[in-house]
Short mmCIF file of all heavy atoms in Angstrom, two decimals:
data_model
loop_
_atom_site.label_atom_id
_atom_site.label_comp_id
_atom_site.label_asym_id
_atom_site.label_seq_id
_atom_site.Cartn_x
_atom_site.Cartn_y
_atom_site.Cartn_z
N ASP A 7 8.89 -8.51 -23.59
CA ASP A 7 8.46 -8.43 -22.19
C ASP A 7 7.79 -9.73 -21.74
O ASP A 7 6.76 -9.72 -21.06
CB ASP A 7 7.51 -7.22 -22.00
CG ASP A 7 7.45 -6.75 -20.56
OD1 ASP A 7 8.24 -7.24 -19.73
OD2 ASP A 7 6.58 -5.91 -20.25
N TYR A 19 -1.88 -21.80 -28.24
CA TYR A 19 -2.50 -21.35 -29.50
C TYR A 19 -1.48 -21.27 -30.64
O TYR A 19 -1.84 -21.49 -31.80
CB TYR A 19 -3.21 -20.01 -29.28
CG TYR A 19 -4.40 -20.20 -28.38
CD1 TYR A 19 -4.34 -19.88 -27.02
CD2 TYR A 19 -5.57 -20.77 -28.86
CE1 TYR A 19 -5.41 -20.11 -26.17
CE2 TYR A 19 -6.65 -21.01 -28.01
CZ TYR A 19 -6.56 -20.67 -26.67
OH TYR A 19 -7.62 -20.92 -25.85
N GLU A 36 13.71 1.43 -28.10
CA GLU A 36 14.72 1.80 -29.09
C GLU A 36 15.99 0.95 -28.97
O GLU A 36 16.68 0.72 -29.95
CB GLU A 36 15.04 3.29 -28.96
CG GLU A 36 13.78 4.11 -29.19
CD GLU A 36 13.99 5.61 -29.21
OE1 GLU A 36 15.12 6.05 -28.97
OE2 GLU A 36 13.00 6.31 -29.47
N LEU A 64 11.23 -1.31 -37.23
CA LEU A 64 10.47 -2.55 -37.52
C LEU A 64 10.18 -2.62 -39.01
O LEU A 64 10.30 -3.67 -39.64
CB LEU A 64 9.16 -2.58 -36.72
CG LEU A 64 9.28 -2.72 -35.20
CD1 LEU A 64 7.90 -2.67 -34.54
CD2 LEU A 64 9.98 -4.03 -34.83
N CYS A 65 9.80 -1.47 -39.55
CA CYS A 65 9.48 -1.40 -40.97
C CYS A 65 10.71 -1.75 -41.81
O CYS A 65 10.63 -2.54 -42.76
CB CYS A 65 9.00 0.03 -41.23
SG CYS A 65 8.26 0.20 -42.80
N PHE A 71 3.58 -6.76 -38.94
CA PHE A 71 2.51 -6.41 -38.01
C PHE A 71 3.02 -6.36 -36.56
O PHE A 71 4.03 -6.97 -36.22
CB PHE A 71 1.34 -7.39 -38.11
CG PHE A 71 1.70 -8.81 -37.76
CD1 PHE A 71 1.71 -9.23 -36.44
CD2 PHE A 71 2.04 -9.72 -38.75
CE1 PHE A 71 2.05 -10.54 -36.11
CE2 PHE A 71 2.39 -11.03 -38.42
CZ PHE A 71 2.39 -11.43 -37.11
N VAL A 73 1.18 -7.08 -32.91
CA VAL A 73 -0.03 -7.45 -32.18
C VAL A 73 0.17 -7.10 -30.71
O VAL A 73 1.09 -7.59 -30.06
CB VAL A 73 -0.41 -8.95 -32.36
CG1 VAL A 73 -1.15 -9.17 -33.67
CG2 VAL A 73 0.80 -9.87 -32.28
N MET A 74 -0.68 -6.23 -30.22
CA MET A 74 -0.64 -5.84 -28.81
C MET A 74 -1.43 -6.89 -28.04
O MET A 74 -2.58 -7.17 -28.39
CB MET A 74 -1.28 -4.46 -28.60
CG MET A 74 -0.63 -3.34 -29.38
SD MET A 74 1.11 -3.12 -28.97
CE MET A 74 1.01 -2.63 -27.25
N GLY A 89 0.08 2.64 -43.38
CA GLY A 89 0.52 2.18 -44.70
C GLY A 89 1.77 1.30 -44.66
O GLY A 89 2.25 0.85 -45.70
N ALA A 94 -2.78 -4.52 -34.23
CA ALA A 94 -4.05 -5.01 -33.68
C ALA A 94 -3.92 -5.10 -32.16
O ALA A 94 -2.81 -5.06 -31.62
CB ALA A 94 -4.41 -6.37 -34.28
N LYS A 118 -9.41 -2.95 5.64
CA LYS A 118 -8.01 -3.03 6.13
C LYS A 118 -7.49 -4.47 6.20
O LYS A 118 -6.78 -4.87 7.13
CB LYS A 118 -7.90 -2.32 7.48
CG LYS A 118 -8.40 -0.86 7.40
CD LYS A 118 -8.04 -0.06 8.59
CE LYS A 118 -8.37 1.41 8.53
NZ LYS A 118 -9.34 1.91 7.62
N PHE A 139 -15.78 0.77 6.99
CA PHE A 139 -17.15 1.28 6.86
C PHE A 139 -17.90 0.42 5.85
O PHE A 139 -17.27 -0.30 5.06
CB PHE A 139 -17.16 2.77 6.47
CG PHE A 139 -16.52 3.09 5.14
CD1 PHE A 139 -17.21 2.93 3.95
CD2 PHE A 139 -15.21 3.58 5.10
CE1 PHE A 139 -16.61 3.22 2.74
CE2 PHE A 139 -14.61 3.87 3.87
CZ PHE A 139 -15.32 3.70 2.69
N THR A 145 -21.79 6.25 -2.26
CA THR A 145 -21.85 6.64 -3.67
C THR A 145 -20.52 6.35 -4.35
O THR A 145 -19.47 6.81 -3.89
CB THR A 145 -22.16 8.15 -3.78
OG1 THR A 145 -23.44 8.38 -3.18
CG2 THR A 145 -22.20 8.60 -5.24
N VAL A 148 -18.19 6.23 -11.26
CA VAL A 148 -17.47 5.41 -12.24
C VAL A 148 -17.12 6.29 -13.44
O VAL A 148 -18.01 6.80 -14.13
CB VAL A 148 -18.32 4.19 -12.67
CG1 VAL A 148 -17.57 3.34 -13.69
CG2 VAL A 148 -18.68 3.36 -11.44
N GLY A 152 -17.26 1.91 -20.23
CA GLY A 152 -17.10 0.91 -21.29
C GLY A 152 -17.25 -0.47 -20.68
O GLY A 152 -17.97 -0.66 -19.69
N ILE A 161 -20.91 -5.07 -10.22
CA ILE A 161 -20.43 -5.54 -8.91
C ILE A 161 -20.88 -4.58 -7.81
O ILE A 161 -21.37 -5.01 -6.75
CB ILE A 161 -18.88 -5.67 -8.92
CG1 ILE A 161 -18.45 -6.76 -9.90
CG2 ILE A 161 -18.36 -5.97 -7.53
CD1 ILE A 161 -16.95 -6.82 -10.17
N MET A 167 -24.62 -0.21 -3.56
CA MET A 167 -24.05 1.14 -3.59
C MET A 167 -24.88 2.02 -4.54
O MET A 167 -25.50 1.54 -5.47
CB MET A 167 -22.59 1.09 -4.07
CG MET A 167 -21.73 0.22 -3.18
SD MET A 167 -20.08 -0.02 -3.84
CE MET A 167 -19.30 1.49 -3.27
N ILE A 170 -23.08 6.61 -9.70
CA ILE A 170 -23.16 7.70 -10.67
C ILE A 170 -21.99 7.52 -11.64
O ILE A 170 -20.99 6.89 -11.30
CB ILE A 170 -23.16 9.11 -10.01
CG1 ILE A 170 -21.92 9.30 -9.12
CG2 ILE A 170 -24.45 9.36 -9.25
CD1 ILE A 170 -21.81 10.71 -8.53
N HIS A 176 -22.81 7.97 -23.45
CA HIS A 176 -23.58 7.25 -22.43
C HIS A 176 -23.79 5.81 -22.90
O HIS A 176 -24.84 5.46 -23.43
CB HIS A 176 -24.90 7.97 -22.15
CG HIS A 176 -24.69 9.31 -21.52
ND1 HIS A 176 -25.70 10.10 -21.05
CD2 HIS A 176 -23.54 10.00 -21.25
CE1 HIS A 176 -25.19 11.22 -20.54
NE2 HIS A 176 -23.88 11.17 -20.65
N THR A 181 -29.42 0.80 -16.60
CA THR A 181 -29.73 2.17 -16.21
C THR A 181 -28.69 2.64 -15.19
O THR A 181 -28.44 1.98 -14.19
CB THR A 181 -31.13 2.26 -15.58
OG1 THR A 181 -31.25 1.18 -14.68
CG2 THR A 181 -32.22 2.22 -16.63
N THR A 204 -5.66 9.02 -23.00
CA THR A 204 -5.60 9.77 -24.26
C THR A 204 -5.05 11.15 -23.91
O THR A 204 -4.86 11.47 -22.72
CB THR A 204 -6.99 9.94 -24.88
OG1 THR A 204 -7.81 10.69 -23.96
CG2 THR A 204 -7.66 8.60 -25.16
N ASP A 214 -6.77 20.31 -9.38
CA ASP A 214 -8.10 20.95 -9.50
C ASP A 214 -9.21 19.93 -9.24
O ASP A 214 -10.18 20.21 -8.53
CB ASP A 214 -8.30 21.52 -10.92
CG ASP A 214 -7.50 22.78 -11.13
OD1 ASP A 214 -6.99 23.31 -10.12
OD2 ASP A 214 -7.36 23.21 -12.29
N LEU A 233 -3.53 8.75 -15.94
CA LEU A 233 -4.83 9.44 -15.72
C LEU A 233 -4.72 10.30 -14.48
O LEU A 233 -5.46 11.26 -14.30
CB LEU A 233 -5.96 8.42 -15.52
CG LEU A 233 -6.32 7.52 -16.70
CD1 LEU A 233 -7.47 6.59 -16.32
CD2 LEU A 233 -6.72 8.34 -17.91
N GLY A 242 -2.89 15.39 -2.11
CA GLY A 242 -4.27 15.17 -1.64
C GLY A 242 -4.31 14.21 -0.46
O GLY A 242 -5.11 14.37 0.46
N ALA A 245 -2.85 16.05 2.58
CA ALA A 245 -3.80 17.04 3.09
C ALA A 245 -5.01 16.36 3.74
O ALA A 245 -5.95 17.04 4.16
CB ALA A 245 -4.26 17.96 1.96
N TYR A 256 0.55 2.97 -12.48
CA TYR A 256 1.29 4.13 -11.99
C TYR A 256 1.98 4.75 -13.20
O TYR A 256 2.48 4.02 -14.07
CB TYR A 256 2.30 3.65 -10.93
CG TYR A 256 3.40 4.60 -10.60
CD1 TYR A 256 3.11 5.88 -10.10
CD2 TYR A 256 4.74 4.25 -10.76
CE1 TYR A 256 4.15 6.76 -9.80
CE2 TYR A 256 5.77 5.12 -10.44
CZ TYR A 256 5.46 6.38 -9.97
OH TYR A 256 6.47 7.25 -9.66
N THR A 296 -5.81 -13.14 -14.66
CA THR A 296 -6.59 -14.33 -14.26
C THR A 296 -6.40 -15.38 -15.37
O THR A 296 -6.04 -15.04 -16.50
CB THR A 296 -8.10 -14.03 -14.12
OG1 THR A 296 -8.63 -13.70 -15.41
CG2 THR A 296 -8.36 -12.91 -13.13
N SER A 316 -2.22 -12.89 -43.12
CA SER A 316 -2.83 -13.42 -44.35
C SER A 316 -3.56 -12.35 -45.15
O SER A 316 -4.01 -12.59 -46.26
CB SER A 316 -3.81 -14.55 -44.00
OG SER A 316 -4.91 -13.96 -43.32
N LEU A 325 -6.91 1.38 -36.31
CA LEU A 325 -6.70 2.30 -37.43
C LEU A 325 -6.38 3.68 -36.88
O LEU A 325 -6.98 4.12 -35.89
CB LEU A 325 -7.95 2.34 -38.32
CG LEU A 325 -8.33 0.97 -38.91
CD1 LEU A 325 -9.67 1.06 -39.62
CD2 LEU A 325 -7.25 0.45 -39.86
#
Side-chain angles (χ1 to χ4, degrees):
D7 202 8
Y19 292 100
E36 300 186 356
L64 292 177
C65 192
F71 62 84
V73 278
M74 301 300 296
K118 305 192 174 20
F139 62 81
T145 299
V148 180
I161 295 170
M167 301 173 83
I170 56 176
H176 294 187
T181 44
T204 61
D214 286 348
L233 294 181
Y256 163 59
T296 66
S316 68
L325 300 172

